[in-house]
Amino acid sequence: MKWLFRISSALMAVLFAAPLVWMLVVSIKEEGMKIISVLDWFKPPYSLAVYEEILTTTKLSQWIANSLFVAVIVTVLTVIFAAMAGFALSKVPFRYRTIVFFFILGGLLIPGEATIIPLYQVAKDLHLLNSYSGLIIPALASPVAVIVLKSFFDGVPNDLLESVQIDGGGFWRIFTSIMLPLTRPAMASMAILTFIGSWNNFLWPFLSITDDNLFTLPMGIPTLMGQYSEDYVKPMVINAVASVPIIILFIIFEKQIVKGISMSGIKG
Protein backbone atom coordinates (compact mmCIF):
# COMPACT_ATOMS: atom_id res chain seq x y z
CA MET A 1 0.00 0.00 0.00
CA LYS A 2 2.95 2.34 0.49
CA TRP A 3 3.72 2.48 -3.22
CA LEU A 4 0.09 3.32 -3.98
CA PHE A 5 0.13 6.13 -1.44
CA ARG A 6 3.40 7.50 -2.86
CA ILE A 7 2.13 7.41 -6.43
CA SER A 8 -1.10 9.13 -5.42
CA SER A 9 0.83 11.77 -3.49
CA ALA A 10 3.14 12.39 -6.46
CA LEU A 11 0.18 12.75 -8.82
CA MET A 12 -1.54 15.20 -6.49
CA ALA A 13 1.69 17.19 -6.16
CA VAL A 14 2.02 17.40 -9.94
CA LEU A 15 -1.63 18.40 -10.26
CA PHE A 16 -1.31 21.26 -7.79
CA ALA A 17 2.10 22.38 -9.10
CA ALA A 18 0.99 22.46 -12.75
CA PRO A 19 -0.67 25.93 -12.63
CA LEU A 20 2.40 27.39 -10.91
CA VAL A 21 4.76 25.90 -13.48
CA TRP A 22 2.52 27.09 -16.32
CA MET A 23 2.49 30.62 -14.86
CA LEU A 24 6.30 30.71 -14.62
CA VAL A 25 6.80 29.35 -18.15
CA VAL A 26 4.32 31.77 -19.74
CA SER A 27 5.85 34.68 -17.82
CA ILE A 28 9.20 34.26 -19.61
CA LYS A 29 7.67 34.08 -23.09
CA GLU A 30 7.94 36.98 -25.53
CA GLU A 31 5.03 39.35 -26.06
CA GLY A 32 2.75 38.79 -29.03
CA MET A 33 3.43 35.07 -29.19
CA LYS A 34 1.25 32.98 -31.43
CA ILE A 35 -0.44 30.07 -29.68
CA ILE A 36 -1.85 27.26 -31.79
CA SER A 37 -1.45 24.23 -29.54
CA VAL A 38 -0.73 23.53 -25.89
CA LEU A 39 2.93 22.80 -26.67
CA ASP A 40 3.37 26.35 -27.97
CA TRP A 41 3.16 27.61 -24.38
CA PHE A 42 6.40 25.78 -23.56
CA LYS A 43 8.40 26.37 -26.75
CA PRO A 44 11.18 29.00 -26.96
CA PRO A 45 12.07 31.78 -27.43
CA TYR A 46 12.17 32.92 -23.83
CA SER A 47 12.83 36.40 -22.52
CA LEU A 48 12.93 38.34 -19.24
CA ALA A 49 12.21 41.65 -20.95
CA VAL A 50 8.63 41.76 -19.69
CA TYR A 51 9.85 41.35 -16.10
CA GLU A 52 12.09 44.37 -16.53
CA GLU A 53 9.27 46.37 -18.11
CA ILE A 54 6.77 45.55 -15.34
CA LEU A 55 9.22 46.31 -12.54
CA THR A 56 10.42 49.60 -14.04
CA THR A 57 7.22 51.06 -15.53
CA THR A 58 4.66 50.09 -12.88
CA LYS A 59 4.37 50.48 -9.10
CA LEU A 60 4.32 46.73 -8.51
CA SER A 61 7.55 46.74 -6.49
CA GLN A 62 6.22 49.57 -4.32
CA TRP A 63 2.97 47.66 -3.75
CA ILE A 64 4.98 44.59 -2.72
CA ALA A 65 6.90 46.75 -0.24
CA ASN A 66 3.62 48.17 1.10
CA SER A 67 2.17 44.70 1.55
CA LEU A 68 5.31 43.46 3.31
CA PHE A 69 5.43 46.48 5.61
CA VAL A 70 1.74 46.26 6.56
CA ALA A 71 1.80 42.46 6.95
CA VAL A 72 4.92 42.47 9.15
CA ILE A 73 3.65 45.25 11.44
CA VAL A 74 0.19 43.68 11.71
CA THR A 75 1.71 40.28 12.45
CA VAL A 76 4.06 41.51 15.18
CA LEU A 77 1.49 43.68 16.95
CA THR A 78 -1.32 41.15 16.63
CA VAL A 79 0.73 38.35 18.17
CA ILE A 80 1.93 40.61 21.00
CA PHE A 81 -1.56 41.86 21.86
CA ALA A 82 -3.13 38.41 21.47
CA ALA A 83 -0.49 36.83 23.71
CA MET A 84 -1.03 39.43 26.41
CA ALA A 85 -4.81 39.08 26.21
CA GLY A 86 -4.64 35.29 26.17
CA PHE A 87 -2.33 35.27 29.19
CA ALA A 88 -4.62 37.61 31.12
CA LEU A 89 -7.68 35.49 30.35
CA SER A 90 -5.87 32.30 31.28
CA LYS A 91 -3.73 33.10 34.31
CA VAL A 92 -4.62 36.53 35.70
CA PRO A 93 -7.59 36.43 38.09
CA PHE A 94 -10.00 39.35 37.69
CA ARG A 95 -13.74 39.91 37.85
CA TYR A 96 -15.86 39.06 34.82
CA ARG A 97 -13.01 37.15 33.20
CA THR A 98 -15.44 34.55 31.82
CA ILE A 99 -17.71 37.26 30.42
CA VAL A 100 -14.76 38.91 28.67
CA PHE A 101 -13.71 35.57 27.21
CA PHE A 102 -17.18 34.88 25.78
CA PHE A 103 -17.30 38.46 24.49
CA ILE A 104 -14.10 37.82 22.52
CA LEU A 105 -15.39 34.41 21.46
CA GLY A 106 -18.51 36.12 20.14
CA GLY A 107 -16.30 38.10 17.78
CA LEU A 108 -15.86 34.92 15.75
CA LEU A 109 -19.60 34.83 15.09
CA ILE A 110 -19.69 38.26 13.44
CA PRO A 111 -18.65 38.35 9.76
CA GLY A 112 -16.02 40.93 9.01
CA GLU A 113 -18.17 42.39 6.25
CA ALA A 114 -20.86 43.27 8.82
CA THR A 115 -18.49 45.68 10.58
CA ILE A 116 -17.11 47.36 7.47
CA ILE A 117 -19.48 50.37 7.45
CA PRO A 118 -19.04 51.35 11.12
CA LEU A 119 -15.30 50.62 10.84
CA TYR A 120 -15.06 52.93 7.83
CA GLN A 121 -16.94 55.68 9.66
CA VAL A 122 -14.68 55.41 12.70
CA ALA A 123 -11.55 55.44 10.51
CA LYS A 124 -12.89 58.50 8.70
CA ASP A 125 -13.62 60.36 11.93
CA LEU A 126 -10.11 59.56 13.21
CA HIS A 127 -8.54 60.65 9.88
CA LEU A 128 -7.02 57.19 9.31
CA LEU A 129 -8.11 56.80 5.69
CA ASN A 130 -5.34 56.80 3.07
CA SER A 131 -2.64 56.01 5.61
CA TYR A 132 -0.60 53.08 6.82
CA SER A 133 -2.23 53.49 10.23
CA GLY A 134 -5.62 52.97 8.63
CA LEU A 135 -4.41 49.71 7.10
CA ILE A 136 -2.74 48.42 10.27
CA ILE A 137 -4.83 49.40 13.29
CA PRO A 138 -8.18 47.81 12.25
CA ALA A 139 -6.40 44.49 11.57
CA LEU A 140 -4.91 44.15 15.05
CA ALA A 141 -8.00 42.70 16.74
CA SER A 142 -7.85 38.93 16.23
CA PRO A 143 -10.24 36.82 18.35
CA VAL A 144 -8.83 33.64 16.80
CA ALA A 145 -5.29 34.44 17.95
CA VAL A 146 -6.48 35.31 21.47
CA ILE A 147 -8.49 32.10 21.84
CA VAL A 148 -5.77 29.85 20.40
CA LEU A 149 -3.04 31.33 22.59
CA LYS A 150 -5.29 31.24 25.65
CA SER A 151 -5.81 27.52 25.12
CA PHE A 152 -2.04 27.01 25.12
CA PHE A 153 -1.59 29.15 28.23
CA ASP A 154 -4.26 27.03 29.93
CA GLY A 155 -2.02 24.00 29.43
CA VAL A 156 0.81 25.47 31.52
CA PRO A 157 0.58 24.14 35.12
CA ASN A 158 -0.33 26.72 37.75
CA ASP A 159 2.26 25.17 40.09
CA LEU A 160 5.00 26.51 37.83
CA LEU A 161 3.58 30.02 38.08
CA GLU A 162 3.19 29.78 41.84
CA SER A 163 6.86 28.83 42.22
CA VAL A 164 7.85 32.01 40.39
CA GLN A 165 5.53 34.10 42.55
CA ILE A 166 7.07 32.61 45.69
CA ASP A 167 10.46 33.79 44.43
CA GLY A 168 9.04 37.31 44.12
CA GLY A 169 8.24 37.31 40.43
CA GLY A 170 5.15 39.14 39.21
CA PHE A 171 2.81 38.47 36.31
CA TRP A 172 5.07 40.30 33.86
CA ARG A 173 8.03 38.08 34.73
CA ILE A 174 5.84 35.00 34.46
CA PHE A 175 4.59 36.15 31.07
CA THR A 176 7.98 37.01 29.56
CA SER A 177 10.20 34.37 31.18
CA ILE A 178 7.92 31.33 31.29
CA MET A 179 4.76 31.64 29.21
CA LEU A 180 6.23 33.09 26.04
CA PRO A 181 9.07 30.53 25.69
CA LEU A 182 6.70 27.63 26.39
CA THR A 183 4.14 28.78 23.81
CA ARG A 184 6.63 29.79 21.12
CA PRO A 185 5.37 27.18 18.58
CA ALA A 186 1.79 28.38 18.95
CA MET A 187 2.84 32.01 18.59
CA ALA A 188 4.90 31.20 15.50
CA SER A 189 1.94 29.42 13.94
CA MET A 190 -0.42 32.31 14.65
CA ALA A 191 2.17 34.76 13.32
CA ILE A 192 2.35 32.91 10.00
CA LEU A 193 -1.42 32.68 9.65
CA THR A 194 -1.77 36.36 10.54
CA PHE A 195 0.87 37.32 7.97
CA ILE A 196 -0.88 35.36 5.22
CA GLY A 197 -4.25 36.84 6.16
CA SER A 198 -2.88 40.39 6.07
CA TRP A 199 -1.01 39.74 2.82
CA ASN A 200 -4.21 38.55 1.11
CA ASN A 201 -6.52 41.17 2.63
CA PHE A 202 -8.43 43.01 -0.08
CA LEU A 203 -11.75 44.41 1.17
CA TRP A 204 -10.54 46.84 3.82
CA PRO A 205 -7.63 48.29 1.77
CA PHE A 206 -10.03 48.61 -1.18
CA LEU A 207 -12.38 50.76 0.92
CA SER A 208 -9.86 52.77 2.91
CA ILE A 209 -7.15 53.55 0.35
CA THR A 210 -7.50 55.67 -2.80
CA ASP A 211 -3.87 56.79 -3.19
CA ASP A 212 -2.14 54.33 -5.52
CA ASN A 213 1.16 54.94 -3.71
CA LEU A 214 -0.36 53.16 -0.68
CA PHE A 215 -1.92 50.27 -2.58
CA THR A 216 -1.20 46.77 -1.37
CA LEU A 217 -0.80 43.88 -3.80
CA PRO A 218 -4.41 42.61 -3.68
CA MET A 219 -5.52 46.13 -4.67
CA GLY A 220 -2.82 46.93 -7.18
CA ILE A 221 -2.89 43.71 -9.21
CA PRO A 222 -6.49 44.14 -10.51
CA THR A 223 -5.66 47.67 -11.72
CA LEU A 224 -2.75 46.32 -13.75
CA MET A 225 -4.70 43.35 -15.04
CA GLY A 226 -7.27 45.66 -16.57
CA GLN A 227 -4.56 47.27 -18.70
CA TYR A 228 -3.37 43.94 -20.16
CA SER A 229 -6.65 42.10 -20.64
CA GLU A 230 -5.71 40.96 -24.18
CA ASP A 231 -2.20 39.89 -23.31
CA TYR A 232 -1.01 36.65 -21.70
CA VAL A 233 2.57 37.35 -20.71
CA LYS A 234 2.24 40.54 -18.65
CA PRO A 235 -0.53 39.24 -16.34
CA MET A 236 1.55 36.12 -15.72
CA VAL A 237 4.63 38.23 -14.94
CA ILE A 238 2.61 40.33 -12.49
CA ASN A 239 1.29 37.24 -10.74
CA ALA A 240 4.71 35.59 -10.70
CA VAL A 241 6.40 38.61 -9.10
CA ALA A 242 3.56 38.98 -6.60
CA SER A 243 3.75 35.30 -5.66
CA VAL A 244 7.47 35.18 -4.94
CA PRO A 245 7.42 36.54 -1.34
CA ILE A 246 4.60 34.30 -0.18
CA ILE A 247 6.12 31.23 -1.89
CA ILE A 248 9.44 31.87 -0.14
CA LEU A 249 7.60 32.25 3.16
CA PHE A 250 5.79 28.96 2.61
CA ILE A 251 8.98 27.08 1.72
CA ILE A 252 10.78 28.36 4.82
CA PHE A 253 7.90 27.89 7.28
CA GLU A 254 6.05 24.95 5.73
CA LYS A 255 5.95 22.87 8.92
CA GLN A 256 4.81 25.79 11.06
CA ILE A 257 2.06 26.69 8.58
CA VAL A 258 0.70 23.16 8.57
CA LYS A 259 0.89 23.02 12.36
CA GLY A 260 -0.83 26.38 12.65
CA ILE A 261 -3.69 25.33 10.39
CA SER A 262 -4.21 22.13 12.37
CA MET A 263 -4.10 23.97 15.70
CA SER A 264 -6.53 26.71 14.70
CA GLY A 265 -9.02 24.30 13.20
CA ILE A 266 -9.03 25.94 9.76
CA LYS A 267 -10.08 23.66 6.94
CA GLY A 268 -10.67 23.99 3.23
Side-chain angles (χ1 to χ4, degrees), residues 87 164-165 168-175:
F87 172 72
V164 177
Q165 290 176 323
F171 284 118
W172 182 250
R173 181 182 173 187
I174 293 172
F175 176 67

Side-chain angles (χ1 to χ4, degrees), residues 56 63 87 98 101 133 221 263:
T56 55
W63 297 340
F87 172 72
T98 303
F101 171 72
S133 299
I221 289 177
M263 286 192 300

Side-chain angles (χ1 to χ4, degrees), residues 17 42 44 70 74 81 89-90 95 140 148 150 157 171 174 181 191 195-196 206 212 218 225 234 237 265-266:
F42 302 94
V70 171
V74 167
F81 294 154
L89 290 172
S90 176
R95 295 181 64 183
L140 299 183
V148 170
K150 176 188 178 300
F171 284 118
I174 293 172
F195 182 91
I196 294 175
F206 176 75
D212 60 354
M225 290 300 189
K234 288 181 179 177
V237 171
I266 298 174

Side-chain angles (χ1 to χ4, degrees), residues 82-268:
M84 295 173 67
F87 172 72
L89 290 172
S90 176
K91 300 300 182 183
V92 180
F94 61 91
R95 295 181 64 183
Y96 310 118
R97 183 171 64 174
T98 303
I99 295 176
V100 173
F101 171 72
F102 281 106
F103 180 79
I104 295 175
L105 187 63
L108 297 177
L109 305 178
I110 303 175
E113 292 78 4
T115 63
I116 283 295
I117 294 177
L119 180 60
Y120 181 88
Q121 189 61 49
V122 171
K124 181 181 178 182
D125 293 340
L126 295 177
H127 306 288
L128 294 178
L129 300 180
N130 271 322
S131 67
Y132 287 116
S133 299
L135 290 173
I136 293 171
I137 294 176
L140 299 183
S142 176
V144 173
V146 174
I147 293 169
V148 170
L149 293 178
K150 176 188 178 300
S151 66
F152 274 84
F153 289 136
D154 288 340
V156 178
N158 291 327
D159 295 341
L160 183 61
L161 278 61
E162 292 173 357
S163 64
V164 177
Q165 290 176 323
I166 292 174
D167 292 338
F171 284 118
W172 182 250
R173 181 182 173 187
I174 293 172
F175 176 67
T176 55
S177 302
I178 296 178
M179 305 300 281
L180 291 184
L182 290 177
T183 57
R184 189 177 301 168
M187 294 180 64
S189 300
M190 293 313 305
I192 293 169
L193 293 178
T194 302
F195 182 91
I196 294 175
S198 177
W199 180 271
N200 292 328
N201 189 17
F202 171 78
L203 182 58
W204 177 244
F206 176 75
L207 295 175
S208 62
I209 301 297
T210 56
D211 184 358
D212 60 354
N213 290 317
L214 296 175
F215 279 5
T216 56
L217 269 179
M219 280 191 66
I221 289 177
T223 63
L224 291 179
M225 290 300 189
Q227 303 175 25
Y228 310 121
S229 57
E230 296 182 359
D231 190 12
Y232 293 103
V233 179
K234 288 181 179 177
M236 290 301 178
V237 171
I238 294 169
N239 282 291
V241 173
S243 301
V244 167
I246 206 68
I247 290 175
I248 294 175
L249 180 73
F250 178 81
I251 293 174
I252 296 175
F253 299 105
E254 177 185 359
K255 293 182 179 179
Q256 287 83 352
I257 292 174
V258 174
K259 184 185 297 184
I261 293 174
S262 63
M263 286 192 300
S264 59
I266 298 174
K267 297 182 180 179

Side-chain angles (χ1 to χ4, degrees), residues 22-84:
W22 181 68
M23 177 186 70
L24 294 175
V25 171
V26 175
S27 69
I28 59 176
K29 297 284 287 184
E30 292 184 342
E31 289 187 85
M33 58 182 180
K34 186 176 181 181
I35 302 299
I36 300 177
S37 65
V38 176
L39 293 178
D40 291 333
W41 289 108
F42 302 94
K43 292 181 179 178
Y46 303 114
S47 173
L48 297 176
V50 181
Y51 276 90
E52 182 179 358
E53 177 184 351
I54 291 295
L55 292 175
T56 55
T57 62
T58 69
K59 296 183 178 181
L60 185 62
S61 56
Q62 182 177 352
W63 297 340
I64 293 176
N66 290 341
S67 290
L68 282 173
F69 175 75
V70 171
V72 169
I73 298 299
V74 167
T75 299
V76 172
L77 294 181
T78 297
V79 172
I80 291 175
F81 294 154
M84 295 173 67

